[in-house]
Amino acid sequence: MPLDHSPRKIHIAPSVLPADFSKLGDECRALEDAGVDRIQWDVMDGQFVPNLTFGPDVIAACRRHVQVPFEAHLMVNTPEVLLQNYIDAGCEILIVHAESTMHLHRCLTQVAEGGARAAVALNPSTPISAVEHVLDLVEMVLVMTVNPGFGGQAYISTMEPKVRELRDLIVERGLDVDIEVDGGISPDTVADAASAGANVLIAGSALYRDPQGLAHAVSDLRERAEAAQVAGR
Ligand code: DX5
């Protein structure tokens, strides 16, 4: 069977970290209207990362305002105790950090048993070997391109070889798994990330600082990523 190296569909997903937290429902509607493919909720517990954001009730309050899928990026310790709360809040995808649980295989299995789609995340220093035995349980691997906890940080370009290595592993195994990158994704970095093999692109600051607005920012990132896929093919 020939290996499938064909480029995967580009998904643009905003982080809501830079959004106006006093009106998150409106902000979600604006993001959906701008053409995003999903919305990522950066869930932080102040332990796994030195920041604290939102719980399931905040997400649940926004769920009814939009139709796009929600994904919860669980930057939390012991994610096992919270999984069902985020599923019940309306998150279709749960992203569990490989570093956050002693029992990653069991945790990802619990996500699927709870009725959600499972994904796994890797901090910059964590090798892809940490997820090679759970790739069959996930639809996506998130390769962090910043150290998690805050928006507006600089893109860590040394993660690109890691994305390439992961892409090769996924293709070699014949798996249907997306690669997401998160942190410092902007018009200046998105092409390199897509060329390396990432097809789900999380952006926060870059979307909100575009002087031409959210819709332009989303379409510009998408076009740059798709062009890079074609060039890199
Ligand atoms: C890190 C956060 C950020 C955020 C996006 O924990 O998850 O990566 O989503 O940040 P910027 O502003 O770099 O797009």
Side-chain angles (χ1 to χ4, degrees), residues 15 17 42 44 73 75 144 146 148-153 182-184 203-205:
S15 154
L17 276 189
D42 301 272
M44 302 181 188
H73 177 189
M75 292 169 271
M144 290 301 292
V146 294
F150 302 92
Q153 300 178 85
D182 178 356
S205 313

Side-chain angles (χ1 to χ4, degrees), residues 70 74 109 171 212 217 228:
F70 281 178
L74 298 174
T109 304
V171 168
Q212 298 185 66

Side-chain angles (χ1 to χ4, degrees), residues 8 17 19 24 26 31 34-35 37 47 62 72 74-75 88 92 105 108 118 121 141 150 162 166 198 201 203 217 222:
R8 297 176 69 86
L17 276 189
L24 279 173
D26 296 341
L31 288 165
D37 297 294
Q47 300 294 322
C62 296
L74 298 174
M75 292 169 271
D88 295 346
E92 285 87 349
H105 190 284
L108 293 169
V141 179
F150 302 92
K162 183 172 166 183
L166 178 59
L201 304 149
R222 191 187 308 282

Side-chain angles (χ1 to χ4, degrees), residues 11 28 30 43 66 70 112 123 144 149 157 176 183 191-192 195 203 210:
H11 300 265
C28 286
V43 176
V66 290
F70 281 178
N123 282 335
M144 290 301 292
S157 59
D176 181 16
D192 290 340
S195 297
D210 187 322

Side-chain angles (χ1 to χ4, degrees), residues 196-213:
N199 69 297
V200 184
L201 304 149
I202 301 292
S205 313
L207 296 186
Y208 285 89
R209 69 171 170 243
D210 187 322
Q212 298 185 66

